[in-house]
Amino acid sequence: MALPIDPTAIDPEDYGEHKAVLEMDHEEAIEHTREVFEAEGFGVPAEFSPSDLLNEKVDADRDPYYVLGACNPNIADQVLDVTEKMGGLFPCNVVIWEESPGRQVVYHISIMKIARLLGIAPDDENWQDIVDETGEMVDTAYSNL
């Protein structure tokens, strides 16, 4: 089955990709990332370890992998006023995986930009304001990692 778009033709800036590498252990990277995102106005209402779950349930032998479900309640409220479909992408996930012992990758993509690309959210000035505001918050968080 062919995709309706060529994913390799999309610039990572179009979907708000962020990636950082932290030289620390996995648990320390999780705590540090949580603190940095909370300092920028994100709460973390959901978090879990897919690696722990998969290692337990299907003996997957996965390296440490953790998801922080970050959310800014004021922005989430504005977003749901624009489109209820956004709940399907909530929360904004920040993923931390162990690339090698003592080396963690922190990865994020913008659900606001993804929603616009998919047509879930409008491509208008009001949505661009939301994209800009959340983008600045994430940029600041990444600069503080």
Side-chain angles (χ1 to χ4, degrees):
M1 176 176 158
L3 294 173
I5 58 171
D6 177 3
T8 63
I10 301 173
D11 187 318
E13 176 62 30
D14 291 337
Y15 53 87
E17 182 179 61
H18 284 78
K19 183 177 176 182
V21 175
L22 303 178
E23 302 292 339
M24 58 182 68
D25 85 352
H26 190 67
E27 292 300 320
E28 183 182 3
I30 292 167
E31 293 305 314
H32 178 65
T33 302
R34 182 187 296 108
E35 289 171 6
V36 166
F37 273 80
E38 286 176 345
E40 285 311 308
F42 293 96
V44 181
E47 57 185 285
F48 70 103
S49 171
S51 58
D52 286 352
L53 178 68
L54 295 171
N55 291 344
E56 177 186 324
K57 299 292 183 184
V58 296
D59 197 25
D61 194 33
R62 294 215 167 258
D63 291 333
Y65 192 101
Y66 204 81
V67 177
L68 295 173
C71 181
N72 178 289
N74 291 326
I75 294 173
D77 186 45
Q78 292 174 38
V79 164
L80 289 176
D81 282 343
V82 175
T83 175
E84 291 85 2
K85 293 178 182 178
M86 277 301 294
L89 296 174
F90 281 179
C92 301
N93 289 326
V94 181
V95 181
I96 303 110
W97 70 80
E98 186 173 74
E99 187 172 72
S100 61
R103 187 175 173 88
Q104 314 305 316
V105 176
V106 181
Y107 184 80
H108 170 77
I109 58 174
S110 168
I111 65 170
M112 305 309 173
K113 287 186 175 187
I114 294 288
R116 184 173 52 198
L117 285 172
L118 296 176
I120 292 171
D123 186 16
D124 63 18
E125 188 175 307
N126 290 337
W127 194 258
Q128 186 60 48
D129 290 344
I130 291 170
V131 168
D132 291 345
E133 183 176 0
T134 58
E136 288 172 18
M137 293 170 69
V138 170
D139 286 346
T140 301
Y142 266 81
S143 70
N144 291 326
L145 283 174

